[in-house]
Amino acid sequence: MTELGSSRILTKTNASHDFHRVCVVGLGYVGLPTAAILATKGIDVVGVDVEAARVDAVNAGAAYIAEPDLGAMVRESVERGRLHARQEVVAADAFVVAVPTPFGRNHEPDLRCLRNAAASLARVLVPGNLVVLESTSPVGTTEAVCKWLAEGSPELTFPHTAGEDSDIRVAYSPERILPGHILAELVNNDRVVGGVTPSCARAASSLYRIFVQGTCSMTSARTAELVKLTENAYRDVNLAFANELSLVCDALGLDPWEVIELSNRHPRVDVLRPGPGVGGHCVAVDPWFLVHAAPDQTPLVQTARQINDGKPQWVVDRVLAACDGLVNPTVACLGLAYKANVGDLRESPAVGIVVRLESMVAGTVLVVDPHVAGLPDVLVRGRVKLVDQDDALSVADVVVVLTDHREFLNIEPDSLIGKRLIDTRGLWGVKDHGSSKASSRF
C-alpha cells in the first residue's frame, strides 16, 4: 500500500463511470439517504433491509426517517423507477454496506450484522464488482470483510490475497453526516476513501464522485477506518472536558455557560457546550472501538467515555434533589432526542435519564418532545406520559431541560415562576425566569 501512504486529494469531476446499478445494504440513517441521492443521479438503486416495514415504506415512496427533503427525494426516485427496496441482496455493479455495528455489554464490537451482509453479498458477486463498507468499524474490519466474502465466493479472487489483480474491489468510506442536514452533508462534505489496494480506492472514489461535491481523499482501508474513529473520539474527549467543567462549576457555585463564554474569548480556546451526556450513534459508540483495538494506549479516551457515560446519573441525582420536600412531585422533562431540532433517539442520554426517573420519582414523570411521535419501547409500557408543552408546564413542580429544541426557547418566563428548574443545556437564564432556589444550570 505504499502508493497510498500519503492521501491524494481528488477534486470533483464529471468522469464517466461503470455503475449502472447499485445495491445499498441497510436502509437506516446512512443507507436510505445514500440510496435516494444515487437514484437522483440516474443510477438504478436497490435498497436492501431485513426489516419488512422499511422495505414496504420505501416501495410506497415514503421515508420513515424524519429528515428534511428526504421524503420528497425518496418519493420522486420511486415514482421514476430509479429506486426500489427488497429484503434480499441482488446482483449489481457496486454494493454499499451500511448496516449497524453496535457494541456489546462489555463495549466489544458486534459485527454480526456486517458478517451476515457479507454472506449475502458473496452469493451474487461477479468479477468487476465493487463492495464499499460505510459502517463504522474497528481497524481491520474491511480486510475481514474481504475474507468473509472469499469464504462465500471461492471461485472469485479478492484484494487481501490477489492484490491489484483481484476480481472484486473492496473499500471503506465512512460517512460524515449530521442528522437534520444529512442530504446536504452527503453531497458537500469531503470524503475519505480507503481501499484494500490502490485500485480499490480508485474504484470507490469513482462511485462517490457521482454525487459528492467535496473532495475525495484516497488512502488505505485501515487508515480510513482509524480516521473515522479518530474524528468521533476527538469530539467525545472535548465533550468530556465540557461536561467535567460543568461539574466543577456546580461544585463551586458558578455558571458554566458564563465561564465557557468568557473562556472562548481567548483566540485559541473553543470549549464545547456541556449537556446531560453524549448521544447519537457515532460519538457515544465509536470511541469504544478505538479502546477495544488498543486498551493500554487509550486511557484518555476511556476516561472521556466514563465522564460522558456518568453524566446522566449526575443529572438524575440533581432532579431527585430538586424533588426533595415535595409530595408526589410532577417532573416535566423537556426533550428526548440526543440533539436539538431532530427526533433522533439513538443512544440519547435523555432517554436513559427518563427511564431512571420513572423508577425513582415518587410522583409523575412527563415528557415533552415536539420532534418525537411516540415514546421509545423502553418507556412505552411504563407510567411516563408524552404530552404537549403547555399541559406539562401547567402541572409540573420540577422542569428539566434535556434537549435544546428551538420550541423550548419560546416558553414564556411566567409559566416557570415558582417551579424548580434544572437546565442541562444552558437554554434559559435562571434569574430571568423567577425560578426557585432549587434551580441549577450546568
Side-chain angles (χ1 to χ4, degrees), residues 27-360:
L27 294 176
Y29 278 81
V30 176
L32 181 58
T34 300
I37 285 179
L38 280 167
T40 65
K41 298 300 181 180
I43 306 296
D44 288 331
V45 181
V46 179
V48 177
D49 203 282
V50 295
E51 295 188 22
R54 290 185 173 187
V55 170
D56 292 342
V58 171
N59 287 333
Y64 43 86
I65 297 170
E67 182 67 27
D69 301 321
L70 180 59
M73 185 176 287
V74 169
R75 181 172 61 255
E76 181 181 353
S77 297
V78 170
E79 289 175 350
R80 292 187 174 185
R82 289 296 188 184
L83 172 64
H84 73 277
R86 55 186 300 155
Q87 289 183 271
E88 305 85 17
V89 172
V90 297
D93 302 307
F95 302 85
V96 176
V97 182
V99 298
T101 49
F103 57 74
R105 180 171 299 179
N106 296 317
H107 300 123
E108 72 280 4
D110 183 351
L111 303 181
R112 285 178 294 180
C113 291
L114 190 53
R115 184 152 196 167
N116 290 339
S120 297
L121 288 175
R123 293 193 288 267
V124 300
L125 290 177
V126 297
N129 279 171
L130 167 69
V131 177
V132 184
L133 172 62
E134 290 197 359
S135 306
T136 302
S137 306
V139 175
T141 299
T142 307
E143 294 167 1
V145 168
C146 281
K147 296 175 184 177
W148 298 337
L149 292 172
E151 290 173 1
S153 301
E155 72 282 3
L156 299 174
T157 59
F158 291 84
H160 68 292
T161 55
E164 293 286 78
D165 297 326
S166 64
D167 293 327
I168 307 298
R169 306 295 190 218
V170 182
Y172 177 76
S173 184
E175 48 77 20
R176 289 167 164 168
I177 55 175
L178 185 68
H181 306 273
I182 290 178
L183 295 177
E185 296 209 341
L186 276 175
V187 172
N188 296 318
N189 287 356
D190 293 349
R191 197 98 195 190
V192 176
V193 182
V196 178
T197 65
S199 61
C200 293
R202 288 192 293 270
S205 184
S206 295
L207 174 66
Y208 286 106
R209 285 201 301 262
I210 294 173
F211 65 90
V212 171
Q213 297 296 324
T215 59
C216 291
S217 302
M218 293 198 301
T219 186
S220 69
R222 292 174 67 88
T223 297
E225 290 164 342
L226 185 55
V227 165
K228 175 62 173 179
L229 302 184
T230 299
E231 292 168 354
N232 288 324
Y234 172 85
R235 294 168 62 199
D236 196 45
V237 169
N238 281 273
L239 286 167
F241 176 76
N243 280 328
E244 186 169 80
L245 180 62
S246 74
L247 306 186
V248 172
C249 288
D250 183 74
L252 298 177
L254 299 174
D255 184 341
W257 312 104
E258 182 182 11
V259 169
I260 291 171
E261 179 185 356
L262 294 176
S263 297
N264 285 345
R265 290 181 178 272
H266 188 291
R268 289 171 294 281
V269 172
D270 186 15
V271 181
L272 301 181
R273 296 175 65 84
V278 173
H281 185 63
C282 292
V283 179
V285 176
D286 298 357
W288 288 119
F289 292 172
L290 200 59
V291 171
H292 183 266
D296 296 334
Q297 287 73 42
T298 52
L300 177 62
V301 176
Q302 294 178 56
T303 300
R305 277 283 78 228
Q306 291 164 4
I307 292 170
N308 289 333
D309 282 350
K311 191 69 181 290
Q313 183 57 53
W314 192 83
V315 174
V316 170
D317 292 340
R318 291 303 178 278
V319 176
L320 296 178
C323 291
D324 190 43
L326 299 174
V327 178
N328 294 324
T330 296
V331 177
C333 296
L334 304 187
L336 269 186
Y338 84 88
K339 67 181 298 289
N341 308 320
V342 299
D344 195 340
L345 303 183
R346 292 177 298 172
E347 307 298 328
S348 175
V351 173
I353 289 168
V354 173
V355 168
R356 297 179 205 185
L357 290 176
E358 178 186 20
S359 64
M360 301 178 76

